[in-house]
Amino acid sequence: MESIYWVLAWACHRKCRHCYEDRFRPYVRGALEAVVAEAERNAPKVIANLPPEMTYLDLNDPRPDGTLPRKTGRIILSGGECLMDPVRERVTYPVIEELAAKYRDRGGVKIIVQTTGDLLTPAMIDDLLRRGVWMISVASIDDYHVGLEGEAKQQAFIASLSALFEAAGLRRSGVATTHRNWLDEPGPLYSFFGASPDAWIGKIWPRGRGWQNGLSTATLADNFCARWSGAMNFLNHGYSGSEVSIEPDGSVYPCCLKTKLPIGNLTEEGLIEILDSLAGDPVYEALNAGQPQRMGLSYGWSVETFLEKSRTTDPKGRPYANLCIGCDRFHEEVLKPRIEAAAAVRRRERRVAVA
């Protein structure tokens, strides 16, 4: 695959008002131990069920003779904040080591650690590089992160971290992380992004605290499904454009925004097995095409019906319409039995294979 986005644990030292997931927040004492233990318990099972290779054929970079180059894909490790104590030592570092070992003789993997950046120290950077991390990506350059409001604070933060990175031998990525060619750069690298107005997430997904706080400005014209981190191409494993998102319990989704229900769980079954079981299904092929408005056609939901279901009122009492809302309602009203049936078929097939 080209990309996997893995939320290692729910723990975070911040509670940003724009966050797409309310479970990303500070935990203390027993609650913190519970979320760390969940991640610690499930991570080895998830790794065992990841694809046997993290390589892909790049449709966007054909050779003169029309053949496709095989390139090394990436796994993005995120949170929450995956570098906070005790997540860093008990979960993040072991996961990096296990991923590096799994793919070392299978074409490799580009491991990216995504962080808010404010916890980084020279020792942590050295720890990450020693374990083979290809990129450290700082994802907090916006006005929503307390202490980073305004251009002046953000530029000072970037300069301070850049100095740490450069001293450790990292090089700043020369390609914006929303442009696909950044994967071709030799590491180790560092990068910066955030939910700024010009970013692909700048309109704020209708999810989590961002939704609860009425921050999403997306309309029906903003098709998150057809953008990077959306569901488009998620089924096309083996080729460029395929990405899925994983939660700490192993649940897997076709997009980072996360559909209302997961498509499977990686503590129980292989990722490729899950994806192949959905190939050809009209619902998931519509998502794979980046056209969620067509996902209900085989269930009697016309495009017009889907668009009507995409309209709602946000928590601030304002009219709101986005395709993600229609997708949520289709999952709630129609799709749950289909997902359960597909999982049951895969379970039967596994039992037959074992027998």
Side-chain angles (χ1 to χ4, degrees):
M1 293 189 70
E2 179 178 350
S3 183
I4 291 173
Y5 188 90
W6 185 359
V7 172
L8 290 177
W10 298 119
C12 191
H13 61 304
R14 290 176 175 264
K15 193 177 181 180
C16 297
R17 62 193 181 96
H18 75 304
C19 189
Y20 73 97
E21 175 56 74
D22 186 61
R23 285 174 289 183
F24 293 145
R25 62 180 187 269
Y27 294 82
V28 297
R29 296 183 290 278
L32 177 60
E33 173 58 28
V35 296
V36 175
E38 175 190 42
E40 197 173 30
R41 178 175 64 252
N42 291 326
K45 300 176 186 177
V46 170
I47 292 172
N49 281 315
L50 292 180
E53 293 185 9
M54 276 303 296
T55 63
Y56 65 98
L57 296 174
D58 194 347
L59 294 164
N60 299 288
D61 190 23
R63 300 185 183 98
D65 64 357
T67 60
L68 301 175
R70 182 169 293 280
K71 298 183 177 181
T72 302
R74 67 187 181 273
I75 296 179
I76 304 163
L77 304 177
S78 183
E81 175 52 73
C82 65
L83 293 181
M84 66 177 287
D85 292 326
V87 178
R88 182 179 68 256
E89 296 286 350
R90 290 173 56 184
V91 182
T92 306
Y93 287 172
V95 164
I96 294 171
E97 293 165 2
E98 291 177 38
L99 289 175
K102 179 181 177 85
Y103 294 112
R104 183 171 293 119
D105 299 321
R106 305 180 189 180
V109 63
K110 293 181 176 178
I111 299 173
I112 300 169
V113 170
Q114 187 172 296
T115 174
T116 57
D118 52 340
L119 300 182
L120 276 168
T121 65
M124 285 185 202
I125 295 172
D126 288 343
D127 287 342
L128 295 173
L129 293 179
R130 188 170 63 254
R131 289 173 169 84
V133 166
W134 175 73
M135 175 184 277
I136 301 174
S137 185
V138 178
S140 58
I141 311 304
D142 54 57
D143 293 335
Y144 295 110
H145 284 82
V146 175
L148 291 175
E149 303 90 343
E151 181 72 13
K153 289 182 180 179
Q154 290 165 20
Q155 289 306 313
F157 185 58
I158 288 173
S160 175
L161 282 182
S162 295
L164 284 182
F165 291 140
E166 298 282 348
L170 287 85
R171 182 175 55 84
R172 184 165 183 174
S173 174
V175 181
T177 54
T178 52
H179 192 287
R180 295 195 62 264
N181 289 343
W182 67 290
L183 264 179
D184 294 333
E185 295 182 276
L189 300 168
Y190 66 94
S191 65
F192 298 96
F193 75 99
S196 55
D198 60 337
W200 90 105
I201 53 172
K203 292 199 172 183
I204 306 299
W205 297 332
R207 292 288 186 271
R209 285 193 296 275
W211 174 249
Q212 295 160 13
N213 290 323
L215 297 178
S216 179
T217 59
T219 69
L220 280 176
D222 298 295
N223 183 355
F224 292 117
C225 196
R227 301 179 184 181
W228 187 254
S229 291
M232 189 166 68
N233 295 320
F234 85 100
L235 288 176
N236 303 344
H237 64 83
Y239 293 90
S240 53
S242 180
E243 182 182 60
V244 296
S245 176
I246 306 169
E247 286 191 345
D249 70 348
S251 295
V252 60
Y253 297 83
C255 59
C256 284
L257 289 71
K258 293 186 294 188
T259 47
K260 196 72 173 179
L261 298 169
I263 57 175
N265 190 291
L266 296 188
T267 66
E268 303 169 355
E269 53 189 334
L271 176 56
I272 302 303
E273 177 189 2
I274 294 170
L275 296 178
D276 285 347
S277 76
L278 301 177
D281 185 290
V283 171
Y284 292 103
E285 290 292 352
L287 290 177
N288 193 59
Q291 299 185 51
Q293 71 274 17
R294 300 181 64 82
M295 66 192 296
L297 293 180
S298 61
Y299 287 85
W301 277 40
S302 66
V303 170
E304 292 76 14
T305 299
F306 192 96
L307 294 178
E308 182 58 34
K309 295 283 189 177
S310 297
R311 304 180 189 280
T312 188
T313 301
D314 78 4
K316 298 297 182 181
R318 299 169 298 192
Y320 182 91
N322 184 260
L323 297 175
C324 288
I325 302 299
C327 181
D328 288 348
R329 288 179 170 169
F330 183 72
H331 276 78
E332 292 170 343
E333 298 178 23
V334 177
L335 200 54
K336 184 177 180 180
R338 168 66 185 85
I339 293 174
E340 293 174 344
V345 169
R346 294 195 300 270
R347 284 194 295 271
R348 286 197 298 272
E349 291 175 346
R350 287 198 300 274
R351 285 197 296 268
V352 169
V354 171

